[in-house]
């Protein structure tokens, strides 16, 4: 495979950013968009220069010219949309959270393996050069004893929730909430860098409709503890930091790291940031495309083991905080 025609599901800002990131990856061609309405599909297609609009999902899947799908619908739809896409022989890159729970994810991975197709959860930070700097320099801070991963951002949709509207991102029906939307950005580097913890404890502030507005997770390892703080109902100016016996690594924004500093006692801090030559979503697109071009059916960066480990932590946290989704029943 040397070029990939892409179908897009969803027409929100994030889908636009993804298509813009594709512009720097010549091997991928945004080819069609699926929307529930022709109006929003054609507005998106016109703005993003996409030739085809589909208002029936299966019609897009039946198009044999389309090789792969990018799914950017509310979380609760990911499983069925990805399952059908795999059934039709399409590779899939799906927005986070890739599914509502581990049970769904395992089914998708099994199906992808059977059909020799690739499925990837688009966690943009993992592919970014600045995050790779963190991984490459971890040994410089000695034995890691603590880490704090923090991502708190007052949601632009929260006022609508407070006004009694029912925005998708605060609606349990869509497998949404702070953990699935924001907390996941903190869980990814923790598990990618340190592996699975021996135990976890989680707490959350649930809103009136039962969704989590914010939360904290303590992950305990044999030799360290990791704290995760996340919220959609308040901001925070704290960054994230990995603390070793010989120094720390500071990360400004864990969801999209730009500035990373190595700080050692008695020494000037050293900037580890790599220049970002592309939009932040470029790197996940590049990894997806490179994996397909190499003819591989599993990404080294977004391995199935890692994706499943993340989802199992999300499941455990939700059990602890008492957050169930219709998809769990
Ligand atoms: N990577 C990132 O930085 C990032 C940032 C934000 C969001 N995300 C992820 O992207 C995905 C979409 O998030 P979002 O905030 O864009 O979601 P959203 O605005 O609620 O919905 C995304 C799209 O899905 C369709 N949709 C909306 N409501 C629907 C419904 N009730 N039933 C069926 N389809 C519906 C709409 O497309 P049509 O009206 O055209 O059908 C909409 O454009 C989520 O998985 C989220 O976690 C990722």
């Amino acid at each position: 495979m040397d070029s990939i025609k892409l179908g897009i599901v969803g027409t929100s800002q994030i889908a636009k950013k993804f298509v813009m990131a594709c512009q720097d990856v010549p091997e991928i061609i945004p080819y069609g968009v699926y929307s529930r309405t022709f109006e929003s599909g054609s507005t998106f297609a016109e703005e993003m220069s996409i030739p085809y609009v589909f208002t029936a999902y299966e019609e897009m899947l039946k198009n044999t010219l389309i090789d792969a799908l990018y799914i950017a619908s509310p979380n609760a739809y990911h499983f069925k949309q990805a399952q059908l896409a795999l059934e039709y022989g399409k590779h899939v890159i799906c927005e986070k959270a890739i599914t509502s729970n581990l049970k769904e994810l395992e089914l998708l991975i099994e199906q992808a393996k059977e059909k020799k197709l690739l499925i990837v959860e688009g966690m943009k930070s993992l592919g970014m050069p600045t995050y790779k700097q963190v991984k490459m320099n971890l040994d410089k801070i000695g034995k890691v004893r603590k880490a704090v991963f923090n991502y708190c951002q007052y949601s632009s949709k929260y006022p609508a929730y407070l006004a009694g509207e029912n925005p998708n991102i605060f609606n349990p029906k869509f497998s949404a909430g702070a953990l699935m939307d924001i907390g996941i950005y903190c869980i990814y580097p923790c598990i990618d860098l340190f592996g699975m913890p021996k135990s976890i404890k989680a707490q959350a502030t649930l809103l009136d409709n039962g969704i989590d507005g914010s939360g904290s997770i303590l992950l305990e390892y044999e030799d360290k503890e990791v704290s995760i703080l996340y919220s959609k109902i308040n901001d925070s100016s704290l960054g994230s930091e990995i603390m070793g016996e010989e120094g720390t690594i500071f990360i400004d924004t864990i969801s999209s790291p730009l500035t990373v500093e190595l700080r050692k006692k008695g020494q000037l801090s050293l900037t580890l940031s790599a220049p970002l030559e592309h939009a932040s979503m470029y790197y996940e697109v590049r990894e997806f495309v490179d994996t397909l071009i190499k003819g591989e059916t599993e990404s080294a960066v977004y391995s199935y083991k890692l994706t499943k480990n993340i989802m199992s932590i999300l499941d455990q946290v939700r059990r602890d905080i008492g957050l169930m989704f219709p998809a769990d029943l």
Side-chain angles (χ1 to χ4, degrees), residues 7-296:
I8 293 129
V9 180
T11 53
S12 66
Q13 282 308 316
I14 198 62
K16 284 187 189 166
K17 283 190 184 169
F18 188 90
V19 173
M20 285 192 273
C22 289
Q23 287 165 0
D24 281 359
V25 184
E27 303 92 333
I28 197 161
I29 304 152
Y31 186 76
V33 58
Y34 160 70
S35 170
R36 292 166 300 166
T37 63
F38 184 73
E39 200 186 357
S40 86
S42 50
T43 305
F44 184 92
E46 204 172 305
E47 198 182 326
M48 298 284 115
S49 307
I50 292 174
Y52 296 98
V53 177
F54 300 88
T55 51
Y57 183 53
E58 247 177 294
E59 286 310 308
M60 181 159 81
L61 297 179
K62 280 180 193 160
N63 188 311
T64 50
L65 293 176
I66 292 179
D67 306 293
L69 284 205
Y70 165 65
I71 299 178
S73 52
N75 296 340
Y77 294 97
H78 294 175
F79 173 64
K80 291 230 164 81
Q81 286 172 335
Q83 194 180 42
L84 208 53
L86 293 169
E87 233 169 88
Y88 275 91
K90 315 294 183 194
H91 304 282
V92 172
I93 177 163
C94 182
E95 266 306 334
K96 52 80 198 170
I98 184 165
T99 53
S100 298
N101 53 44
L102 183 61
K103 191 177 69 185
E104 291 184 346
L105 178 62
E106 283 177 335
L107 288 171
L108 289 184
I109 291 175
E110 202 179 305
Q111 192 187 1
K113 282 184 173 169
E114 266 168 28
K115 302 204 94 183
K116 300 198 170 21
L117 294 165
L118 174 67
I119 183 162
V120 157
E121 180 172 39
M123 173 49 58
K124 66 179 173 186
S125 54
L126 226 60
M128 289 176 69
T130 18
Y131 176 69
K132 289 185 178 160
Q133 287 286 330
V134 173
K135 281 185 98 160
M136 276 159 44
N137 286 281
L138 203 55
D139 60 344
K140 306 230 166 80
I141 60 170
K143 204 170 179 51
V144 174
R145 289 306 194 180
K146 271 190 196 296
V148 177
F149 296 111
N150 172 53
Y151 186 15
C152 298
Q153 187 173 304
Y154 185 92
S155 167
S156 60
K157 303 279 169 57
Y158 189 45
Y161 174 83
L162 291 174
E165 294 166 32
N166 208 3
N168 289 355
I169 202 59
F170 286 102
N171 189 340
K173 186 174 120 184
F174 294 116
S175 308
L179 174 71
M180 303 295 273
D181 197 45
I182 293 278
I184 189 170
Y185 285 106
C186 300
I187 297 171
Y188 249 101
C190 174
I191 306 305
D192 186 43
L193 296 173
F194 309 129
M196 288 297 267
K198 69 181 167 86
S199 70
I200 65 169
K201 293 189 185 110
Q203 256 179 245
T205 301
L206 301 183
L207 305 182
D208 291 347
N209 68 352
I211 202 76
D212 60 330
S214 79
S216 306
I217 310 167
L218 183 66
L219 298 100
E220 293 167 309
Y221 291 81
E222 286 303 337
D223 57 354
K224 66 180 97 43
E225 307 120 46
V226 179
S227 304
I228 286 178
L229 313 173
Y230 60 94
S231 179
K232 287 186 74 65
I233 56 175
N234 59 269
D235 283 322
S236 162
S237 54
L238 294 175
S240 295
E241 194 162 27
I242 304 167
M243 299 161 233
E245 290 182 355
E246 294 163 31
T248 73
I249 293 179
F250 170 82
I251 306 155
D252 63 343
T253 314
I254 200 64
S255 60
S256 190
L258 291 177
T259 301
V260 174
E261 282 179 11
L262 175 64
R263 297 173 176 174
K264 298 191 83 159
K265 247 193 207 83
Q267 294 180 21
L268 286 176
S269 65
L270 184 71
T271 301
L272 300 175
S273 321
L276 268 198
E277 285 161 5
H278 302 277
S280 58
M281 291 185 95
Y282 162 86
Y283 303 94
E284 69 183 71
V285 180
R286 187 73 264 171
E287 171 63 18
F288 181 66
V289 168
D290 285 348
T291 308
L292 288 177
I293 287 173
K294 282 187 266 174
E296 291 170 2

